[in-house]
């Protein structure tokens, strides 16, 4: 009963906040996150009134399944951007920019924080600096996709943005595994080549292979159903099945690996959209079905944000250096390599700004980083601080950049109620 009540309250809070944020021209994503903060354990939850909000972080974590499922559907939608017809135009540029902007962001954060380490060795250790540099590569696909979908953004920047955001997950996994392996060797004095190189590569390959197989199976079964509702149900079932399988872990020949939820579901969407003739219609219907799920996902992200991190001067100092250096790396990396690929001035100027948002993948990496003990706890808190800033400001910056690039055009959209009222007056 309590789960249903919290679910209803969270969705309602997200909807009401998006309505309140509309006059301010804020993206719905930002409104959902703010709503989550309000009903979270660090705001209304502090009142201790049953049903008003989440009373503890443990209650928020009890909804982890919703976050996993939402991430799967988000990745499935991003996979739709990898149509071969579109990749023939943007594939090479997206691959080059996607890989190198992530590397530049990592390099910028590494250099900045290593300098801070040498100036203040008691404030930040070398393993912390190296690990945070690796986390910097990751971008939040969820917030980006929601902004693009909400404003129906179209153009050269958007067509490059979504594939690049998807590639970030694969690139980020490899960069993080290598850097974190080095950080562990500096902390504990041992280097494990298998965990540093082999396991992350195995995870990426296994995730893409899983999505590839599921995509073919999905396309095969889709042909046996003809009604739109049953095809939509089949789409939902396959995303849920893929998400469920990604929870499995394997050990083969001493190599332990699992699956990336994002990569597997992204490949599922990619294979399906290139094989099925009605894939666009199906994905559009699935997107409509997932609207409440996305509200829950972003609201839960807001509920998890702990404002206690603002009380620690060290976290704020390192967090500010991290945010500035990562943002500079993302912006300049995208600008330099989009120029090298011969992209338009708009792409060079605005693409990097749309890559600022950071959330789920980075938080997942920070949890892994807690293996470093006290250093890991510091990394976790710094990422929590940066995610709080990025989640609140990132979507708005993405919207602003796409609007400046001319890819978000105000349509003066009316509600269905307004259209009906207008039609009745005409009659």
């Amino acid at each position: 009963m309590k789960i249903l009540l919290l679910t209803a309250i969270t969705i309602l809070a997200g909807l009401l906040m998006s309505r309140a944020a509309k006059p301010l021209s804020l993206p719905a994503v930002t409104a959902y996150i703010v709503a989550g903060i309000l009903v979270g354990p660090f705001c209304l939850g502090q009142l201790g009134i049953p049903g008003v909000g989440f009373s503890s972080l443990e209650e928020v974590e009890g909804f982890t399944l919703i976050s996993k499922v939402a991430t799967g559907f988000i990745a499935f939608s991003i996979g739709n951007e990898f149509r071969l017809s579109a990749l023939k135009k943007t594939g090479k540029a997206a691959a080059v920019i996607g890989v190198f902007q992530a590397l530049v962001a990592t390099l910028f954060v590494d250099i900045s924080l290593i300098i801070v380490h040498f100036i203040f060795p008691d404030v930040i250790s070398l393993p912390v600096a190296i690990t945070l540099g690796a986390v910097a590569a990751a971008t939040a696909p969820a917030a980006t996709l929601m902004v693009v979908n909400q404003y129906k953004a179209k153009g050269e920047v958007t067509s490059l943005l979504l594939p690049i955001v998807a590639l970030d997950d694969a690139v980020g996994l490899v960069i993080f595994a290598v850097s974190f392996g080095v950080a562990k060797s500096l902390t504990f004095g041992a280097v494990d080549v298998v965990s540093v190189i082999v396991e992350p590569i195995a995870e990426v390959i296994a995730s893409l292979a899983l999505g590839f197989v599921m995509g073919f199976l999905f396309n095969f079964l889709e042909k046996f159903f003809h009604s739109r509702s049953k095809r939509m149900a089949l789409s939902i079932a396959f995303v849920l099945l893929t998400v469920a399988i990604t929870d499995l872990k394997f050990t083969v020949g001493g190599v332990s690996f699992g699956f990336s939820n994002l990569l597997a579901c992204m490949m599922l969407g990619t294979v399906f959209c290139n094989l099925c003739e009605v894939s666009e219609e199906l994905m559009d219907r699935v997107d409509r079905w997932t609207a409440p799920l996305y509200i829950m996902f972003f609201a839960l992200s807001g509920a998890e944000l702990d404002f206690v991190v603002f009380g620690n001067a060290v976290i704020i100092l390192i967090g500010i250096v991290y945010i500035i250096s990562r943002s500079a790396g993302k912006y300049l990396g995208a600008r330099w390599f989009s120029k090298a690929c011969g992209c338009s001035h708009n792409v060079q100027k605005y693409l990097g700004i749309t890559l600022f948002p950071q959330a789920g993948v980075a938080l997942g990496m920070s949890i892994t980083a807690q293996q470093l003990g006290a250093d890991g706890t510091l990394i976790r808190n710094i990422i929590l601080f940066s995610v709080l800033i990025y989640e609140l400001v990132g979507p708005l910056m993405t919207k602003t950049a796409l609007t400046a690039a001319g890819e978000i055009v105000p349509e003066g959209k009316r509600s269905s109620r307004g259209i009906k009222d207008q039609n009745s007056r005409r009659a």
Side-chain angles (χ1 to χ4, degrees):
M1 186 69 172
K2 190 173 184 180
I3 292 176
L4 289 176
L5 181 60
L6 286 173
T7 300
I9 288 172
T10 304
I11 293 174
L12 284 171
L15 288 171
L16 292 172
M17 186 56 66
S18 67
R19 184 70 248 181
K22 200 166 186 179
L24 301 175
S25 298
L26 292 175
V29 176
T30 303
Y32 300 152
I33 293 169
V34 172
I37 292 172
L38 291 176
V39 300
F42 305 105
C43 195
L44 292 178
Q46 292 284 322
L47 299 176
I49 303 174
V52 172
F54 294 93
S55 59
S56 65
L57 271 177
E58 286 71 25
E59 275 192 349
V60 180
E61 290 167 359
F63 287 80
T64 300
L65 179 61
I66 288 179
S67 296
K68 285 185 178 179
V69 171
T71 303
F73 278 102
I74 288 164
F76 180 65
S77 295
I78 290 176
N80 191 41
E81 302 302 318
F82 285 89
R83 293 179 180 274
L84 291 178
S85 57
L87 289 179
K88 288 178 182 178
K89 300 177 182 177
T90 62
K92 182 180 177 181
V96 171
I97 299 169
V99 171
F100 287 100
Q101 57 80 26
L103 290 171
V104 172
T106 295
L107 183 64
F108 271 47
V109 174
D110 276 343
I111 292 173
S112 300
L113 293 181
I114 287 173
I115 290 173
V116 174
H117 161 70
F118 283 116
I119 298 175
F120 305 106
D122 295 332
V123 172
I124 178 174
S125 68
L126 200 56
V128 170
I130 293 172
T131 304
L132 285 172
V135 177
T139 301
T144 304
L145 180 68
M146 285 291 287
V147 171
V148 169
N149 286 347
Q150 180 185 353
Y151 297 103
K152 296 180 175 59
K154 289 183 180 179
E156 191 178 358
V157 177
T158 304
S159 63
L160 280 168
L161 170 60
L162 294 178
I164 288 172
V165 168
L167 284 171
D168 259 358
D169 189 37
V171 177
L173 280 173
V174 175
I175 293 175
F176 178 77
V178 173
S179 296
F180 187 57
V182 174
K184 283 198 296 184
S185 70
L186 291 172
T187 302
F188 304 114
V191 179
D192 183 356
V193 177
V194 172
S195 63
V196 171
I197 299 176
V198 179
E199 289 182 356
I201 294 175
E203 180 171 327
V204 170
I205 294 173
S207 302
L208 295 177
L210 172 63
F212 189 81
V213 172
M214 296 299 286
F216 265 98
L217 184 58
F218 181 14
N219 180 66
F220 173 74
L221 292 179
E222 180 273 331
K223 296 174 183 177
F224 293 97
F225 300 93
H226 303 290
S227 73
R228 293 178 177 177
S229 59
K230 289 180 179 178
R231 281 176 165 174
M232 183 183 73
L234 184 67
S235 304
I236 294 167
F238 260 88
V239 175
L240 294 177
L241 180 58
T242 305
V243 170
I245 294 174
T246 58
D247 266 349
L248 300 176
K249 306 291 181 183
F250 297 93
T251 300
V252 180
V255 178
S256 299
F257 63 92
F259 298 98
S260 163
N261 183 340
L262 279 170
L263 283 180
C265 292
M266 180 194 72
M267 180 56 79
L268 168 68
T270 299
V271 172
F272 179 66
C273 78
N274 282 291
L275 293 179
C276 180
E277 295 178 355
V278 294
S279 62
E280 285 197 62
E281 177 193 338
L282 277 175
M283 287 190 167
D284 181 60
R285 292 178 70 83
V286 170
D287 283 342
R288 296 178 186 179
W289 180 86
T290 53
L293 187 65
Y294 290 166
I295 294 174
M296 279 292 294
F297 173 73
F298 288 107
L300 289 171
S301 298
E304 288 179 321
L305 298 178
D306 188 350
F307 286 89
V308 172
V309 295
F310 282 109
N312 189 318
V314 172
I315 292 173
I316 293 175
L317 171 65
I318 301 174
I320 290 173
V321 174
Y322 172 84
I323 290 171
I324 293 174
S325 55
R326 177 184 177 271
S327 300
K330 286 285 180 182
Y331 180 78
L332 293 175
R335 188 179 183 98
W336 292 338
F337 288 96
S338 59
K339 184 176 182 179
C341 290
C343 297
S344 69
H345 177 71
N346 264 1
V347 171
Q348 295 176 36
K349 188 175 181 180
Y350 298 113
L351 179 61
I353 298 173
T354 64
L355 298 173
F356 287 174
Q358 188 175 49
V361 177
L363 288 172
M365 291 175 176
S366 71
I367 292 173
T368 302
Q370 288 184 308
Q371 296 174 28
L372 297 177
D375 279 349
T377 301
L378 178 61
I379 291 168
R380 172 72 172 169
N381 288 330
I382 291 167
I383 295 304
L384 281 171
F385 170 80
S386 66
V387 164
L388 176 61
I389 304 301
Y390 277 126
E391 284 285 77
L392 292 174
V393 179
L396 179 59
M397 295 188 73
T398 298
K399 177 200 170 186
T400 302
L402 292 176
T403 301
E407 300 190 10
I408 293 179
V409 181
E411 296 179 351
K413 185 177 178 181
R414 295 189 297 271
S415 68
S416 56
R417 181 184 293 109
I419 294 172
K420 287 180 180 178
D421 291 344
Q422 188 180 61
N423 289 340
S424 63
R425 284 196 298 271
R426 286 178 180 176

